[in-house]
Amino acid sequence: MAPESKALTTRVTSGSPYQLDQSQTLKASSALLKHISSESDRKAAASSTKNLLKATTDTSDQNDVLDVEPVWLSLTTKKHIVDKRRLKPGKIPLPHSLNQSSTTTVCLISCDPQRQVKDTIAHPSFPTALSSRITKVIGLSKLKARYRSFESRRQLLNDHDVFLADDRVITMLPKVLGKIFYQSPKKPIPVSLEPYRQITTSGKRVTPKAAAEQTKTVAPPLQVAKEIEKTINCALVHLSPSNNTSVRVGYSSFTAQQIADNVEAVVVGLVEKFIPQGWRNIRAVNIKGPNTMALPIWLADELWADEADILEKEEERAKGLTSMAKQGGKKRKERALDMAADGDEERVSKRERGEEATNGERKKKRRAEDTDLSNEMRERREKLREQKKLDKAEIQGLEKEKKKSAITA
């Protein structure tokens, strides 16, 4: 009987190996959703009270149910993606939106004056299905004046599901909203509300405005609706100074095919826009739930991003050790010379050979001191043993004399 395969992931049969296998992604998505469902049923059976918020197949808007769990894509790179934390998230379009529920409420933070944005949303040409979801429009100045206290900002956070902000004021919001917003999953999402710019015959981009319309800073209603709809249907990418990035790609109420489609779209967006060196810098791609293990869907064969990072020959290794000895401090220099001492002496300069000899003499001296100390301790132990024997013999002699004296008496 042939042994079973223990491979964690499968490779594509044709083309570049740096791409996802759709069957592997679909298989992992099905297994993850099945596990989340079974765990939810197990907890419900073990609980003595009935969960009234549990999602059912008859629910029309399953994303509204509080029992639905998110599904995350975890991407690990070989090198750090960015050098500093960014408060402005990136956006990747998804084929299946995470905010497709008709009851999702949106709060739009605009630049001053806010009246132009409100008039644009209230315009007859603006889609009514989208305008009904935008329950609040507030300018930056009024946001600062009305929501100064912690309690008011927390109430604002609880009143809305999604927060959009004009990309012209998105960098000013951390000081205004505080950690109550930026430590939650409802961080403001940047959206472009400016009019599109056109390119003239000379190749320069100009704003299509007449002289009398220079004060107009909001795009037409159809353009604003298009930008808001596109932003709501995107996955957010929060880059941090690490080699791991997590992106929400769906919910447990999605089908396995929907999760797989979103995973493929997010991976392509990350490789093209956010990850330097593309697939060469990716180490692993996994999907997971909030309380589950990560299921691998793609693993790299090598652990390095560049071939230059590998020192295959002894000469390159010796050069690396020599440069480390020259650039580093005293401890690093001693460590590099100790490592280079095992190789050919011709690769080390005269100065380094002198330091190497000095290090060897120090080692010999330390060994000699350790030997002297051990010999001294052994001599002390022998003296103690002899003293114990003498004391024991003396005690035995005294006891014999006491017995003789007692018998004669």
Side-chain angles (χ1 to χ4, degrees), residues 11 33 37 51 63 81 83 130 144 149 157 165 170 195 210 217 222 229 282 286 304 314 321 328 347 378 393 403 405:
R11 293 291 184 183
L33 293 177
S37 178
N51 187 6
N63 292 346
I81 299 178
D83 297 329
L130 182 59
K144 293 179 181 179
S149 63
L157 180 68
I170 189 69
T217 59
L222 293 179
E229 191 71 31
I282 297 179
N286 309 308
W304 55 88
E314 287 295 331
L321 295 175
R347 302 192 192 105
R378 184 167 56 254
K403 289 181 180 180
S405 60

Coordinates of all heavy atoms in Angstrom, one line a residue, residues 11 33 37 51 63 81 83 130 144 149 157 165 170 195 210 217 222 229 282 286 304 314 321 328 347 378 393 403 405:
R11 N 1.4 22.3 -5.5 CA 1.9 23.3 -6.5 C 1.0 23.2 -7.7 O 0.4 22.2 -8.0 CB 3.3 23.0 -6.8 CG 4.3 23.2 -5.7 CD 4.4 24.7 -5.3 NE 5.4 24.9 -4.3 CZ 5.6 26.1 -3.8 NH1 5.0 27.1 -4.2 NH2 6.5 26.2 -2.8
L33 N -14.2 26.6 7.1 CA -15.6 26.9 7.4 C -16.3 25.8 8.1 O -17.1 25.9 9.0 CB -16.3 27.2 6.1 CG -15.9 28.5 5.4 CD1 -16.6 28.7 4.1 CD2 -16.1 29.7 6.3
S37 N -18.0 26.0 11.9 CA -19.3 25.6 12.1 C -19.5 24.5 13.1 O -20.3 24.5 14.0 CB -19.9 25.1 10.8 OG -21.3 24.7 10.9
N51 N -28.7 30.2 22.1 CA -28.1 31.4 21.4 C -29.1 32.0 20.4 O -29.3 31.4 19.3 CB -26.7 31.1 20.8 CG -26.0 32.3 20.2 OD1 -26.5 33.4 20.5 ND2 -24.9 32.1 19.6
N63 N -24.5 38.8 7.4 CA -23.4 39.6 8.0 C -23.9 40.4 9.2 O -23.1 41.0 10.0 CB -22.9 40.6 7.0 CG -22.1 39.8 5.9 OD1 -21.8 38.6 6.1 ND2 -21.8 40.5 4.8
I81 N 8.1 44.3 5.5 CA 7.4 45.0 4.4 C 7.7 46.5 4.4 O 8.0 47.1 3.4 CB 5.9 44.7 4.4 CG1 5.7 43.2 4.3 CG2 5.2 45.4 3.3 CD1 4.3 42.8 4.4
D83 N 9.1 50.0 7.1 CA 10.0 50.4 8.2 C 9.3 51.1 9.3 O 9.8 51.3 10.4 CB 11.1 51.2 7.7 CG 12.0 50.5 6.7 OD1 12.1 49.3 6.8 OD2 12.6 51.2 5.8
L130 N -27.5 53.8 -1.7 CA -26.2 54.2 -1.0 C -26.5 55.3 -0.1 O -25.9 55.3 1.1 CB -25.1 54.5 -2.0 CG -23.8 54.9 -1.5 CD1 -23.2 53.7 -0.7 CD2 -22.8 55.2 -2.6
K144 N -14.1 68.0 15.8 CA -13.2 68.5 16.9 C -14.1 69.1 18.0 O -13.8 68.9 19.2 CB -12.2 69.5 16.4 CG -11.2 68.9 15.5 CD -10.2 69.9 15.0 CE -9.1 69.4 14.1 NZ -8.2 70.4 13.6
S149 N -14.8 64.6 24.4 CA -14.7 63.7 25.5 C -14.6 62.2 25.0 O -15.0 61.9 23.9 CB -15.9 63.8 26.4 OG -17.1 63.5 25.7
L157 N -18.5 55.8 17.9 CA -17.9 54.5 17.4 C -19.0 53.4 17.4 O -19.1 52.6 16.5 CB -16.7 54.1 18.2 CG -16.0 52.8 17.8 CD1 -15.4 52.9 16.5 CD2 -15.0 52.4 18.9
A165 N -13.4 58.6 5.5 CA -12.9 59.9 5.7 C -12.2 60.4 4.4 O -11.6 59.6 3.7 CB -11.8 59.9 6.8
I170 N -7.4 62.6 6.3 CA -7.2 61.3 7.0 C -6.1 61.3 7.9 O -6.1 60.6 9.0 CB -7.1 60.2 5.9 CG1 -7.1 58.8 6.6 CG2 -5.8 60.3 5.1 CD1 -8.5 58.4 7.2
P195 N -12.7 66.1 -7.4 CA -13.0 65.9 -8.8 C -11.8 65.3 -9.5 O -10.7 65.5 -9.2 CB -13.3 67.3 -9.3 CG -13.6 68.1 -8.1 CD -12.8 67.6 -7.0
A210 N -13.9 76.0 -14.0 CA -13.8 77.4 -14.5 C -13.3 78.3 -13.4 O -13.2 77.8 -12.3 CB -15.2 77.8 -15.0
T217 N -14.9 72.0 -4.0 CA -13.9 71.0 -3.7 C -14.4 69.6 -3.6 O -13.7 68.7 -3.2 CB -13.3 71.3 -2.3 OG1 -14.3 71.4 -1.3 CG2 -12.5 72.7 -2.3
L222 N -22.3 61.4 -9.0 CA -22.1 60.1 -9.5 C -20.6 59.6 -9.2 O -20.4 58.5 -8.9 CB -22.3 60.0 -11.0 CG -23.8 60.2 -11.4 CD1 -23.9 60.1 -12.9 CD2 -24.7 59.1 -10.8
E229 N -18.7 53.6 -3.0 CA -19.1 52.2 -3.2 C -17.8 51.3 -3.4 O -17.7 50.2 -2.9 CB -20.0 52.1 -4.5 CG -20.6 50.7 -4.6 CD -21.7 50.4 -3.6 OE1 -22.3 51.4 -3.1 OE2 -21.9 49.3 -3.2
I282 N 7.8 36.4 -0.4 CA 6.7 35.7 0.4 C 7.2 34.4 0.9 O 7.7 33.6 0.1 CB 5.4 35.5 -0.5 CG1 4.9 36.9 -0.9 CG2 4.4 34.8 0.3 CD1 3.7 36.8 -1.8
N286 N -1.5 31.8 4.6 CA -2.4 31.0 5.4 C -3.7 31.7 5.5 O -3.8 32.9 5.4 CB -1.8 30.7 6.8 CG -0.4 30.2 6.8 OD1 -0.1 29.2 6.1 ND2 0.5 30.8 7.5
W304 N 15.2 32.5 1.6 CA 15.8 33.7 1.2 C 15.1 34.4 0.1 O 14.5 33.7 -0.8 CB 17.3 33.5 0.9 CG 17.5 32.5 -0.2 CD1 17.5 32.7 -1.5 CD2 17.7 31.1 0.0 NE1 17.7 31.6 -2.2 CE2 17.8 30.5 -1.3 CE3 17.7 30.2 1.1 CZ2 18.0 29.2 -1.6 CZ3 17.9 28.9 0.8 CH2 18.0 28.4 -0.5
E314 N 33.8 29.1 0.8 CA 34.5 29.5 2.0 C 35.2 30.8 1.9 O 35.3 31.5 2.9 CB 35.6 28.4 2.2 CG 35.0 27.1 2.7 CD 34.4 27.2 4.1 OE1 34.8 28.1 4.9 OE2 33.4 26.5 4.4
L321 N 33.4 37.4 7.4 CA 33.9 37.4 8.8 C 34.9 38.5 9.0 O 34.9 39.2 10.0 CB 34.5 36.1 9.1 CG 33.5 34.9 9.2 CD1 34.3 33.6 9.4 CD2 32.5 35.1 10.3
G328 N 32.7 45.9 13.4 CA 32.1 45.7 14.7 C 33.0 46.1 15.8 O 34.1 46.6 15.6
R347 N 43.8 34.0 4.7 CA 42.6 34.9 4.4 C 42.5 36.0 5.5 O 41.7 36.9 5.4 CB 41.3 34.1 4.5 CG 41.2 33.0 3.4 CD 39.8 32.4 3.4 NE 39.8 31.2 2.6 CZ 39.6 30.0 3.1 NH1 39.5 29.9 4.4 NH2 39.5 28.9 2.4
R378 N 41.1 19.5 44.7 CA 41.3 18.1 44.9 C 42.2 17.9 46.1 O 41.9 17.0 47.0 CB 41.9 17.5 43.7 CG 42.0 16.0 43.8 CD 42.3 15.3 42.5 NE 43.5 15.9 41.8 CZ 43.5 16.7 40.8 NH1 42.4 17.0 40.2 NH2 44.7 17.1 40.3
A393 N 39.3 7.8 64.2 CA 40.1 6.9 65.0 C 40.3 7.4 66.4 O 40.3 6.6 67.4 CB 41.5 6.8 64.3
K403 N 35.2 2.2 78.0 CA 34.7 0.9 78.3 C 35.6 0.1 79.3 O 35.2 -0.5 80.2 CB 34.5 0.1 77.0 CG 33.4 0.6 76.2 CD 33.3 -0.2 74.9 CE 32.1 0.3 74.0 NZ 32.0 -0.5 72.8
S405 N 37.7 1.4 81.5 CA 37.6 2.0 82.8 C 36.3 1.6 83.5 O 36.3 1.4 84.7 CB 37.7 3.6 82.7 OG 36.7 4.1 81.9

